Each structure stands twice: as C-alpha cells, then as structure tokens.
Amino acid sequence: MLGRAQPATLSTMTSVREPYLGPATDDGLTRADGSPVRVLVVDDEPSLADLLASVLRYEGWEVQTAPDGSSAVRAVRDFEPDAIVLDIMLPDFDGLEVLRRVRAVTPHVCVLFLTARDSVQDRVTGITAGGDDYVTKPFSLEEVVARLRGLLRRAGMVRASGGTAITVADLTMDEDAREVRRGGQLIELTATEFELLRFLMRNPRRVLSKAQILDRVWNYDFGGQAHVVELYISYLRKKIDSGRQPLIHTVRGVGYVLKPPG
C-alpha cells in the first residue's frame, strides 16, 4: 500500500466547495490481488487535477493525471486504472469521446464524470454514454471520494468474503464471480447494473421505491434525479427480460419489483 500524503486543502478554488478533512473510513478498498486501487484524473485545470490526485493518494490509491483526451486514452492503456474521474470539457475532444474510446479498451472501468454542466439532459447524456456517476462543480472533495468508493465497491474492488449465489426463477447471480445468468445464458452487466440487480434480487417480490434504490445503489440521491433509476431499470430489462417472460415489473406511483412469472 502506498504511503499516504498529507490531506490537501484549497479554499480559493471555485470548483471545490470545502477543504478535504481526510478519509472518513479505512475499509481497505483494494484491487482483487490486494494492490492499491488505480485512479486516473482527467482535467485540463492543473490545480484541480493536482488537488484531486493528492486527495485520492491520501486514500492510499495510485493516481495519475491527464490534461486532455488524447493523453487520457494513452494513460488508460499504460496505467490500466480501475476508475476514472473525467471532466467533460477538455481542450482536444470532450469527455464523452474519451469515454467511448476508453470503453473500447477497458469496458469495465468505473467512470465518474466531473463537469460544470448541471442540466437534466447533460446528466442523462453522460449516463447514457456509459458513465457510472456524475458530480457537478462546485463539489466537495468528500463527495468525489465517496462516490468513487461506491463505484469501486459495485465493481467488486473489495476482495470477496463469504459471497453467495442468489436465484430468482431462472435468474442466478454469483456474487463472488460477479456473473449473472438467465436460463443458463451469461449476461454481461456494468458495475452499476450488477449492483441494481443484486438489490432487486435480494428483495424478491418486494416493491422498492426509487428513493430506496438511489440510497442503496448510488449511496447519494444523485441530485434528486430519480430518472437515473428509470434509465438503469430500462437497461436491465433489455438485458434480463428481452425475449423472455419479464421478471422486473413497474408498480406505478410506487417503484419496481422483481418476481418470478406467475
């Protein structure tokens, strides 16, 4: 594990709401082999990129920075990060294009968008493009770290201990192997889709509200934008239910429920 640097503060930076007070937890978030988590920070504002890198190193993680899209794509190939903090506005091409190129190389890397854009459409565009979460400027450093931790946990960065298999009808989930099958057919899910499905499968026949799902799967309320739940439910339905008897059902005005046919 890397030695931890001193916590960073920068009270005059407009992108950051408050100084960083140090890690809130010490839960040993690591790669599967026990080595430090790797994070790539992509931002053309050097002071902000350096501040974020310092804070993430304080978590015990390995961090590299990139000032533009081209260098970010090269860094992904060389550094092989587990997560990327990705600014959308970059000097050569935007973060959405970076994400498209990155997904072609490492489809399962966690991506946290960092941007000044705060409209609902911008959020939906970022998530639809394949981003896992979204933080707008100005932000708190604790929020960035917490959201990254949430993404990494959903991606299985904590070494498994005593995981179990969950079965609902012909849908099975191996939590240790992070594999999902329906009728024996392997289904590829993103980290967020996997965590959403796991929450549904651990609560079969129970109607879960959007607020409950946001709290459990995203840890934060995602700015109160419940549409992100609808978006990810639609993704799951295409992968889980398409061409089969549906397992995921909408209870209008209440939420969603996963239950066997009949």
Side-chain angles (χ1 to χ4, degrees):
M1 185 71 69
L2 294 176
R4 293 189 171 184
Q6 292 300 310
T9 63
L10 189 53
S11 59
T12 59
M13 182 175 293
T14 57
S15 297
V16 178
R17 285 203 299 259
E18 56 196 37
Y20 183 60
L21 301 179
T25 62
D26 188 15
D27 56 9
L29 201 61
T30 67
R31 286 185 148 192
D33 61 2
S35 61
V37 168
R38 296 180 183 178
V39 181
L40 175 65
V41 177
V42 185
D43 199 295
D44 62 341
E45 201 175 334
S47 55
L48 177 56
D50 290 345
L51 175 62
L52 285 168
S54 176
V55 166
L56 298 178
R57 290 189 183 107
Y58 189 62
E59 294 291 315
W61 301 344
E62 291 185 13
V63 185
Q64 284 192 10
T65 62
D68 52 48
S70 299
S71 56
V73 174
R74 290 194 300 270
V76 167
R77 294 193 179 96
D78 297 337
F79 184 49
E80 298 181 347
D82 305 297
I84 304 173
V85 180
L86 179 59
D87 192 11
I88 286 186
M89 300 301 293
L90 296 170
D92 48 0
F93 46 86
D94 66 22
L96 298 178
E97 176 62 18
V98 173
L99 178 61
R100 187 188 68 78
R101 299 187 189 189
V102 164
R103 288 289 193 222
V105 178
T106 55
H108 301 300
V109 67
C110 302
V111 176
L112 174 67
F113 275 126
L114 184 68
T115 180
R117 297 178 174 179
D118 194 25
S119 72
V120 169
Q121 184 56 49
D122 287 328
R123 290 170 182 262
V124 172
T125 298
I127 296 298
T128 303
D132 296 294
D133 207 342
Y134 198 112
V135 175
T136 56
K137 302 176 182 178
F139 55 85
S140 78
L141 295 168
E142 280 82 0
E143 180 181 9
V144 172
V145 173
R147 292 200 181 208
L148 279 175
R149 283 181 167 274
L151 292 179
L152 292 166
R153 288 191 189 96
R154 296 200 291 273
M157 293 307 299
V158 179
R159 285 172 287 179
S161 57
T164 58
I166 311 173
T167 301
V168 177
D170 61 346
L171 180 66
T172 61
M173 171 180 285
D174 185 328
E175 292 182 286
D176 285 350
R178 298 190 71 78
E179 289 183 350
V180 173
R181 297 177 185 271
R182 180 151 190 204
Q185 180 181 356
L186 184 65
I187 298 172
E188 294 290 338
L189 299 178
T190 67
T192 301
E193 290 166 351
F194 184 92
E195 189 64 17
L196 173 56
L197 181 62
R198 174 158 57 182
F199 187 40
L200 292 171
M201 291 184 71
R202 283 180 171 176
N203 296 274
R205 301 182 184 275
R206 177 186 174 192
V207 180
L208 302 169
S209 69
K210 292 178 183 178
Q212 288 174 310
I213 294 171
L214 282 168
D215 182 65
R216 172 60 181 82
V217 178
W218 277 268
N219 297 316
Y220 280 77
D221 68 359
F222 208 79
Q225 303 297 337
H227 66 274
V228 73
V229 176
E230 300 169 7
L231 195 63
Y232 271 89
I233 288 289
S234 71
Y235 292 163
L236 276 184
R237 281 179 165 145
K238 290 177 183 177
K239 295 183 177 184
I240 300 298
D241 286 346
S242 180
R244 307 177 177 96
Q245 285 189 292
L247 295 178
I248 302 171
H249 302 271
T250 299
V251 180
R252 294 194 179 279
V254 183
Y256 303 96
V257 59
L258 186 141
K259 60 183 179 181

